[in-house]
Amino acid sequence: MPSVSATAPAKIILLGEHAVVYGQPAIALPVSDVRARAAITANPLGKPEEIEIISKRVHLRTFLSDLTPDHALPRLFDRFRLECGIPKLPAMAITISSDIPIAAGMGSGAAVSVALLKALGLFVGVTFSISQLASMAFESEKAYHGNPSGIDNTVIAYESPIFFKRDEPVNFFSILSEFTLVIANSGIPAKTIETVSAVRKRYEENPQVIAALHEQIGKLVEKARQYLEYGALTKLGETCNQNHSLLQELGVSTPLLDELVTAARLAGAYGAKLTGGGGGGNIIALVDENKVSTVEQALLEAGAVQVFSTRIRKISQNV
Ligand code: PMV
């Protein structure tokens, strides 16, 4: 019985979340050590479109046809059928698994979508370009987030650091010096859709003030890109700190996230900030390799429920 599988990485936003929804740039990095997986087995006895989906982690065992049309998965499948020109898919069983924390700003939903699309492509024998994968995964992002910028599905599909601007071709850049990111989970689940709509409300009440904050964030992102390209890690850390202050002003941080950020800085991080939608979820700390365990320990003592580190490698784009 044919069986295929594929994976996709987690992601973090280094700088620029929220402002990116309003057209400012943002920088996102893949976290390749933490991944979502989709495995598909054919069901030769089943009828076309008999598609069973199992995800133990979210206690899901269902047939695709039993999900409401506004659910992320039917939306993803509709787009997939259209893209590959197969109106009725053969019967199959899909098992989804993932190590990516849910509702923590690490792109869990987008990673599941990309892994699933890659596996579906293998299953039906259609090869997609990365930009097609990113564009298809955007369908499910809309179901999860309402008005997503598209940054999560893009960085996860490309699995490469990106400088992202909404509705513009994706941009890549070089990273001159390696560094470590310590990622600390506050343990508070965060719904991006809620913080994004809270920012929208503030924007509608006070457009000039909020637009000015977004612009300041956009400028930090431009600077951060240069610091990454020149290997200026101390400067990069400072821009992360400044970005966190602006996110506080946008109202998406919390006392616990602020405490975690402060603990990481006091323990010697170059800089630290919340990452993703905020309201809970993760913070990131930019750390030199010899400070990783000190920063991790400080974050656990300050209340993080989980910490882990990922090394951001040098990358040359020959630009
Ligand atoms: O999915 P999260 O929590 O990493 O948030 C994505 C970043 C936001 O800018 C808050 C939303 C978006 O669509 O870009």
Side-chain angles (χ1 to χ4, degrees):
M1 195 175 284
S3 179
V4 294
S5 66
T7 69
K11 71 97 210 342
I12 59 99
I13 295 181
L14 189 62
L15 290 102
E17 50 274 271
H18 286 290
V20 69
V21 174
Y22 297 77
Q24 296 294 334
I27 291 173
L29 310 172
V31 181
S32 295
D33 331 338
V34 186
R35 305 187 76 84
R37 271 167 240 94
I40 306 182
T41 309
N43 174 5
L45 302 176
K47 297 192 191 93
E49 285 295 319
E50 210 171 274
I51 299 172
E52 190 178 22
I53 303 172
I54 302 152
S55 172
K56 282 196 186 142
R57 193 159 74 133
V58 294
H59 310 290
L60 179 79
R61 185 177 194 124
T62 184
F63 283 95
L64 183 68
S65 52
D66 292 337
L67 296 170
T68 55
D70 58 337
H71 189 283
L73 287 169
R75 286 176 74 154
L76 197 67
F77 273 86
D78 284 348
R79 181 66 198 276
F80 177 81
R81 289 187 203 90
L82 207 67
E83 198 82 17
C84 64
I86 303 177
K88 277 189 188 264
L89 294 167
M92 65 182 97
I94 302 174
T95 307
I96 292 168
S97 57
S98 173
D99 309 323
I100 307 173
I102 296 171
M106 290 193 71
S108 153
V112 165
S113 299
V114 171
L116 180 54
L117 289 166
K118 284 189 196 169
L120 283 168
L122 290 171
F123 187 70
V124 299
V126 176
T127 308
F128 295 114
S129 68
I130 298 180
S131 80
Q132 275 178 302
L133 282 175
S135 153
M136 286 189 278
F138 191 53
E139 282 312 313
S140 53
E141 285 295 283
K142 286 191 249 176
Y144 291 127
H145 288 189
N147 176 27
S149 63
I151 190 167
D152 284 17
N153 48 300
T154 306
V155 65
I156 286 168
Y158 281 88
E159 197 164 349
S160 177
I162 59 164
F163 179 87
F164 179 87
K165 256 184 152 180
R166 192 171 191 154
D167 303 326
E168 286 190 13
V170 60
N171 244 279
F172 303 97
F173 56 90
S174 300
I175 296 180
L176 189 72
S177 299
E178 292 195 7
F179 59 91
T180 298
L181 278 180
V182 176
I183 303 171
N185 193 340
S186 66
I188 312 292
K191 286 214 169 122
T192 303
I193 194 165
E194 285 171 10
T195 50
V196 169
S197 41
V199 172
R200 172 69 56 190
K201 191 160 169 281
R202 275 173 220 131
Y203 179 78
E204 277 160 10
E205 284 162 6
N206 223 333
Q208 278 165 344
V209 172
I210 301 299
L213 291 174
H214 289 155
E215 270 169 40
Q216 288 180 64
I217 292 175
K219 291 205 174 95
L220 289 178
V221 174
E222 304 271 1
K223 279 196 206 168
R225 176 185 176 153
Q226 293 184 352
Y227 297 146
L228 283 161
E229 288 181 332
Y230 301 152
L233 297 181
T234 308
K235 288 278 184 200
L236 183 62
E238 282 164 18
T239 56
C240 287
N241 291 342
Q242 289 158 2
N243 192 169
H244 185 75
S245 302
L246 293 167
L247 288 163
Q248 283 176 315
E249 285 189 58
L250 276 184
V252 296
S253 192
T254 68
L256 178 55
L257 293 176
D258 293 343
E259 274 171 41
L260 294 176
V261 159
T262 305
R265 291 177 193 158
L266 290 175
Y270 291 117
K273 62 181 277 294
L274 72 82
T275 184
N282 281 303
I283 69 115
I284 49 168
L286 191 76
V287 178
D288 195 73
E289 208 170 4
N290 62 18
K291 300 252 173 67
V292 171
S293 54
T294 317
V295 172
E296 285 186 347
Q297 192 53 40
L299 284 163
L300 287 170
E301 280 163 19
V305 294
Q306 189 192 13
V307 292
F308 61 95
S309 301
T310 185
R311 192 87 182 130
I312 307 300
R313 306 271 168 213
K314 287 185 199 187
I315 185 163
S316 171
Q317 304 290 352
N318 297 323
V319 280

